[in-house]
Amino acid sequence: MYLSDRGFEVAVADNFVRRLYDAELGVESLVPIATLHQRVRTWKNVTGREIGLFVGDLRDPEFVYRIIGEFRPQAVVHFAEQRSAPYSMIDRAHAVYTQVNNVVGTLNVIYAIAELDPDIHLVKLGSMGEYGTPNIDIEEGFIEIEHRGRKDVLPFPKQPGSFYHLSKVHDSHNIHFACKNFGLRSTDLNQGVVYGVETEQSVRHPDLATRLDYDAVFGTVLNRFCIQAVLGHPITVYGHGTQIRGFLDIRDTVRCIELAIANPPARGEYRVFNQFTEEFSINQLAELVSRTWPGPSTVEYVDNPRTEALSHYYHARHTKLVELGLVPHKLSETLIQSLFQVIERHRDRVNWEAIRPTVNWRRTRNPRASGAGFLEKV
Ligand code: USQ
């Protein structure tokens, strides 16, 4: 919607599997969302602009070749991945599903671009979590290393913390190689944790709303904390809350994609942008939410279900998007208050059982899962 609003001719491809994960986990987006067909119709009614619609699965190469062959895009914005770390850690089937879906889908996109039009710019959603939490500053994709008297600029070491984040590392390597090998051009957007739900476009009609996840599998931390505060549920800080991550407002996500498209890399170039605007510890977020919520709120320190560093150094560079013109929306009490308002409108839709974390990284089988192999067959 954002790109369409900015004058780009846009088509969207979807296999609706995100809705299937909800059915599997027994949850729904807190904000009701219309079908994609309805959204596209409403967008046309509201703005007069068409968005093309392709229904299919990126794991199906014929589908991928068809979209790119028929639509002939200038850029492919590839967000079509299973994006939850806890989902990938439920059990073997979910780890396999996540990596096959993400890595095979991306390989099909790479090949379709290489064969049909290698000039197309692949804008790929990566993750800040690919880097993990090293005890040195994180660079934007590459680091200059001096080793035994020789120097080189090498990919920044990757130490991700889930099979989901690992799938993004595998994608990064595959895309980097494809740029060198086939002369493709690509931008890997290593995005931090997103918060917020409304954009300038999504508020124009209720049918245009995007999803807001509160559950422990798909909900991201700040959105979850806001929802927990409104419901009167304890704010679930994992571990000591001293983990630090990079965050960004949903409105900056869409702007960053536009900036990447407007400034494409040269043929053969693989570049990485660290796409976040501010760093916070989990405790800072819990405090901000508690302070902003006008009613009572409690913070509960939950045994950390994940394998992640508790206290650690964290400082990541993120200058490239700012150099291209990003003016970040900083996290503020006003944004939190507007999120509270959206949540209060839909608070009755919450399934309370889905709020507490049930997926433990150290177990090889976890509850909230479908029958083993369900997704591999989908
Ligand atoms: N956390 C809590 N309490 C909660 C939920 C999370 O303390 O109730 C903590 C986690 O332990 C973790 C941090 O918050 O340290 C972030 O967790 P998250 O679930 O908000 O985000 P994450 O699993 O890292 O994944 C999300 C998106 C993913 C994206 C990633 C960016 O789901 O698609 O790649 O953010 S990043 O974290 O920079 O890798």
Side-chain angles (χ1 to χ4, degrees):
M1 291 192 291
Y2 178 87
L3 292 174
S4 168
D5 222 13
R6 307 286 283 186
F8 289 94
E9 196 185 326
V10 176
V12 60
D14 199 347
N15 69 347
F16 308 124
V17 75
R18 179 66 192 83
R19 293 164 195 250
L20 198 62
Y21 308 146
D22 274 358
E24 179 192 357
L25 299 170
V27 293
E28 274 183 301
S29 163
L30 187 74
V31 175
I33 47 167
T35 64
L36 184 55
H37 291 78
Q38 184 58 44
R39 286 161 127 174
V40 165
R41 271 196 299 274
T42 302
W43 182 249
K44 171 95 191 291
N45 291 339
V46 170
T47 64
R49 299 190 67 87
E50 301 257 6
I51 292 183
L53 181 49
F54 291 89
V55 176
D57 192 323
L58 294 194
R59 289 173 304 175
D60 169 9
E62 277 176 30
F63 173 68
V64 181
Y65 279 67
R66 182 165 76 79
I67 328 171
I68 293 178
E70 283 179 17
F71 190 69
R72 292 274 160 194
Q74 162 203 353
V76 172
V77 181
H78 175 21
F79 272 49
E81 299 207 323
Q82 192 299 94
R83 66 119 185 114
S84 156
Y87 191 85
S88 75
M89 300 304 293
I90 290 174
D91 59 9
R92 183 204 63 81
H94 290 76
V96 170
Y97 165 78
T98 299
Q99 293 213 350
V100 171
N101 183 72
N102 294 1
V103 176
V104 172
T106 299
L107 270 173
N108 285 339
V109 172
I110 287 171
Y111 266 88
I113 292 177
E115 274 185 53
L116 297 174
D117 182 0
D119 224 27
I120 293 171
H121 177 193
L122 173 58
V123 179
K124 164 67 169 53
L125 186 67
S127 175
M128 283 303 293
E130 293 182 41
Y131 301 115
T133 52
N135 199 29
I136 57 172
D137 284 7
I138 295 170
E139 301 297 320
E140 294 199 68
F142 295 88
I143 183 168
E144 190 180 315
I145 303 266
E146 193 175 336
H147 180 64
R148 300 191 186 191
R150 298 184 65 81
K151 275 192 193 165
D152 203 349
V153 176
L154 298 170
F156 197 91
K158 304 287 178 80
Q159 303 181 79
S162 74
F163 286 121
Y164 150 70
H165 286 102
L166 275 153
S167 75
K168 297 252 166 176
V169 173
H170 305 326
D171 284 336
S172 296
H173 289 145
N174 288 345
I175 298 169
H176 189 187
F177 175 72
C179 288
K180 283 191 282 196
N181 191 56
F182 297 129
L184 303 193
R185 57 173 104 227
S186 180
T187 307
D188 207 344
L189 298 172
N190 278 354
Q191 185 163 259
V193 186
V194 178
Y195 58 81
V197 66
E198 292 182 330
T199 68
E200 197 192 318
Q201 291 72 35
S202 75
V203 295
R204 290 192 196 155
H205 190 284
D207 284 355
L208 302 177
T210 191
R211 52 182 310 124
L212 180 62
D213 300 306
Y214 61 89
D215 63 285
V217 176
F218 277 92
T220 49
V221 64
L222 183 55
N223 287 351
R224 267 167 66 72
F225 286 0
C226 291
I227 293 163
Q228 291 167 343
V230 173
L231 292 175
H233 187 285
I235 292 175
T236 55
V237 171
Y238 297 168
H240 305 304
T242 41
Q243 319 86 301
I244 301 167
R245 296 287 181 272
F247 292 83
L248 78 163
D249 186 302
I250 191 169
R251 293 168 294 179
D252 290 336
T253 288
V254 288
R255 170 75 173 138
C256 290
I257 296 163
E258 181 189 17
L259 287 170
I261 295 173
N263 301 279
R267 284 285 302 274
E269 187 187 348
Y270 166 75
R271 67 180 180 186
V272 180
F273 293 165
N274 289 347
Q275 183 167 308
F276 72 95
T277 57
E278 293 176 280
E279 292 170 359
F280 298 104
S281 73
I282 303 305
N283 277 333
Q284 281 176 301
L285 299 180
E287 277 160 27
L288 175 66
V289 172
S290 300
R291 189 172 71 232
T292 312
W293 175 242
S297 66
T298 53
V299 171
E300 182 185 336
Y301 288 88
V302 177
D303 259 355
N304 198 335
R306 306 184 179 201
T307 303
E308 57 186 0
L310 295 181
S311 294
H312 58 88
Y313 177 78
Y314 197 78
H315 185 59
R317 286 175 71 84
H318 55 112
T319 53
K320 290 188 187 171
L321 283 158
V322 173
E323 281 160 18
L324 291 179
L326 175 67
V327 182
H329 291 88
K330 295 275 175 97
L331 180 56
S332 66
E333 291 191 7
T334 319
L335 182 279
I336 302 271
Q337 279 154 357
S338 69
L339 206 44
F340 286 153
Q341 281 173 15
V342 175
I343 295 162
E344 282 182 299
R345 286 205 291 278
H346 304 292
R347 54 177 298 158
D348 294 340
R349 290 169 54 83
V350 168
N351 165 6
W352 276 62
E353 285 174 16
I355 298 177
R356 298 192 71 79
T358 53
V359 180
N360 186 301
W361 259 227
R362 269 95 49 199
R363 284 199 299 255
T364 52
R365 280 168 204 255
N366 282 286
R368 304 208 68 78
S370 58
F374 163 72
L375 280 163
E376 286 164 79
K377 295 192 187 83
V378 168

